[in-house]
Amino acid sequence: MAVYGYARVSSLSQSTEIQESLLTEAGCSIIRTEKVSGKSRHGRDELSNLMEFLRDGDTLVVCKLDRLGRSTRDVLNLVHELEAKGASLRILEPAIDTSGPMGKMILTVLGMVGEMELNHLKERQKAGIQAAKAKGVYKGRPAKLDHAKIRELSSSGMNVTEVAKTVGCSRGAVYKALEGREKLPTNST
């Protein structure tokens, strides 16, 4: 009977250090971490590895439910998979343990609340972007490439490959910057 920890953050700029510390204090012998969105299980390789590794009597520990997942269905499917293996889930904050029936019921409710919270966040973000666009403040993500420079180099006779090397981008990015114009000749060498 082993205790395994799982820590997750959504972006590369965030740190799992605090979660790792709490999981160590909770007695986790192995802690797996990843930096990936929790909106689905897709691409969460460390969680998949843990799920394959867990055995009868083992416990998977997470600091908070949203670290395990943002989708009620995904969380409940994970709990079901753990139960099928004879393993359980323990959440540190708030303290929930699925080894008993009350823990499963609370987990279901919290999963639904977490998913609802994510949906509200997306709605607020969308409303904020629309309001900013209406004011003329929001223009989208700034362009990473200098399109004027690409057009200038292209007009000076450089081919797509040369322009891409000069600007430091892909040939496809050059074509996109020149969209609507006649395609440039590719490097013939």
Side-chain angles (χ1 to χ4, degrees), residues 145-148 150-151 172-181:
L145 295 175
D146 183 351
H147 289 228
I150 291 172
R151 285 190 292 276
V174 172
Y175 282 120
K176 284 181 182 177
L178 298 171
E179 206 168 73
R181 290 185 46 190

Side-chain angles (χ1 to χ4, degrees), residues 7-47:
R8 183 193 62 78
V9 290
S10 299
S11 69
L12 296 175
S13 63
Q14 295 174 312
S15 172
T16 58
E17 286 180 27
I18 293 171
Q19 291 178 60
E20 290 178 72
S21 175
L22 292 169
L23 292 169
T24 300
E25 288 175 22
C28 297
S29 56
I30 294 176
I31 299 170
R32 306 303 297 194
T33 66
E34 54 193 349
K35 296 183 176 191
V36 64
S37 172
K39 68 180 178 182
S40 79
R41 287 176 65 180
H42 178 72
R44 296 172 64 193
D45 298 333
E46 294 299 334
L47 179 60

Side-chain angles (χ1 to χ4, degrees), residues 119-179:
N119 289 334
H120 286 306
L121 178 81
K122 287 179 182 178
E123 288 172 12
R124 286 192 305 270
Q125 181 182 27
K126 187 177 178 181
I129 289 171
Q130 287 175 344
K133 281 182 178 180
K135 291 178 185 175
V137 178
Y138 184 84
K139 307 275 191 233
R141 185 174 66 189
K144 290 184 178 181
L145 295 175
D146 183 351
H147 289 228
K149 173 117 176 136
I150 291 172
R151 285 190 292 276
E152 178 186 320
L153 293 172
S154 164
S155 297
S156 73
M158 281 188 167
N159 65 34
V160 173
T161 304
E162 292 169 333
V163 172
K165 284 182 183 176
T166 302
V167 177
C169 67
S170 69
R171 290 173 29 144
V174 172
Y175 282 120
K176 284 181 182 177
L178 298 171
E179 206 168 73

Side-chain angles (χ1 to χ4, degrees), residues 159 185-189:
N159 65 34
T186 56
N187 194 356
S188 58
T189 56

Side-chain angles (χ1 to χ4, degrees), residues 34-104:
E34 54 193 349
K35 296 183 176 191
V36 64
S37 172
K39 68 180 178 182
S40 79
R41 287 176 65 180
H42 178 72
R44 296 172 64 193
D45 298 333
E46 294 299 334
L47 179 60
S48 295
N49 290 340
L50 270 174
M51 292 302 291
E52 287 179 28
F53 195 75
L54 287 161
R55 301 289 177 252
D56 187 28
D58 290 347
T59 302
L60 175 62
V61 182
V62 293
C63 291
K64 293 184 177 184
L65 182 60
D66 66 348
R67 299 302 87 202
L68 187 60
R70 288 284 197 168
S71 161
T72 305
R73 180 178 300 276
D74 282 344
V75 170
L76 293 176
N77 286 341
L78 284 165
V79 171
H80 179 74
E81 289 175 38
L82 288 168
E83 285 176 351
K85 293 174 175 271
S88 63
L89 172 66
R90 187 170 134 216
I91 301 167
L92 300 179
E93 190 182 314
I96 300 171
D97 191 334
T98 64
S99 60
M102 185 60 91
K104 292 174 193 166

